[in-house]
Amino acid sequence: MLLAVDIGNTNIHLGLHHHGQWLVSWRMRTVAQKMPDEYAVLLRNFLAGEDLTYRAITGVAIGSVVPRLTLTFTELVQNYLKMDPLVITHKTKTGVKVEIDQPEQAGADRIINAAAVVALYGPPAIVCDFGTATTFDVVSSSGAYRGGAIAPGINVSMDALVSMTARLHKVDLVAPPSVIGTNTIHAMQSGLFMGYVSMIEGMVKRIKAAMNEENVKVIGTGGLAPHFKEQTDALDFIAPELTLEGLRIIYELNQS
């Protein structure tokens, strides 16, 4: 049974994979100051809810963009699960060549998503990941990770807007009745949500032009991806579990 651990800046996504399927997945808040023992208690409680213990886990794959928590979860796995995890870096065998100027700067999540896309959808492709940051990652027709773009996530943009204005407050991140807002809430939803839809469409169009490749697939992932899909045809596929799938694929590749 594989435990896949996707450590993001806002949330930590964990999944248990067994006999070709995901049995269950959980999310917990990213708190860089927590100790390995604290996260171990959370993991134990998650497992207990499925009538499982630490001993059910036979392998662990970790993808992390929070260096401090990379060490925390490595220690957790070593101390409580009595094994060494596979921690994904640019040096890991992933099935994807990292063809950027400084490979060591590539976020693990971006490499993992690229590996998942190559295995599940085939290149060439663009991955749009809607997390704390909104990232666009490019996979060439040869199956290489070629870089991409990083923008503030929509929640980060809303937080910045609200914190820097006296009379604006947080709103639900959904499409308004009309792009022309006739009240403050709808005006903010238009600028934030529909503005992001326009950003997605514009960036996908520009990236495709720069790639100059045929039949480029666009895969959306992250919690808000399904909501954006409803408002644009720029996203061909929605894969909420793409990063966990990438962790599984890379783990299995490194077992052979």
Side-chain angles (χ1 to χ4, degrees), residues 154-171:
I154 190 169
N155 281 294
V156 171
S157 294
M158 180 166 65
D159 289 344
L161 179 63
V162 169
S163 68
M164 297 298 290
T165 55
R167 301 183 63 183
L168 297 183
H169 304 280
K170 287 190 175 183
V171 298

Side-chain angles (χ1 to χ4, degrees), residues 107-131:
D109 55 338
R110 306 179 78 181
I111 297 173
I112 293 164
N113 286 345
V117 163
V118 168
L120 299 175
Y121 297 92
I126 301 168
V127 182
C128 302
D129 191 346
F130 304 102

Side-chain angles (χ1 to χ4, degrees), residues 46-196:
F46 284 145
L47 290 168
E50 303 297 321
D51 293 324
L52 297 170
T53 67
Y54 294 139
R55 281 181 284 184
I57 298 170
T58 56
V60 180
I62 298 174
S64 174
V65 298
V66 185
R68 182 167 178 174
L69 287 181
T70 307
L71 297 175
T72 296
F73 272 82
T74 297
E75 185 176 332
L76 182 162
V77 173
Q78 291 172 337
N79 290 347
Y80 288 87
L81 305 184
K82 308 304 180 184
M83 66 183 73
D84 290 320
L86 175 66
V87 179
I88 313 304
T89 72
H90 69 286
K91 295 181 179 179
T92 306
K93 181 169 69 171
T94 63
V96 172
K97 186 176 181 180
V98 181
E99 295 183 348
I100 62 174
D101 295 341
Q102 296 173 302
E104 69 277 4
Q105 292 187 359
D109 55 338
R110 306 179 78 181
I111 297 173
I112 293 164
N113 286 345
V117 163
V118 168
L120 299 175
Y121 297 92
I126 301 168
V127 182
C128 302
D129 191 346
F130 304 102
T132 306
T134 297
T135 59
F136 298 85
D137 294 309
V138 175
V139 180
S140 69
S141 58
S142 65
Y145 173 63
R146 297 298 304 276
I150 304 173
I154 190 169
N155 281 294
V156 171
S157 294
M158 180 166 65
D159 289 344
L161 179 63
V162 169
S163 68
M164 297 298 290
T165 55
R167 301 183 63 183
L168 297 183
H169 304 280
K170 287 190 175 183
V171 298
D172 292 332
L173 291 173
V174 297
S178 169
V179 72
I180 302 174
T182 56
N183 57 61
T184 300
I185 291 176
H186 290 166
M188 289 181 66
Q189 289 172 333
S190 177
L192 288 165
F193 193 89
M194 300 311 296
Y196 257 73

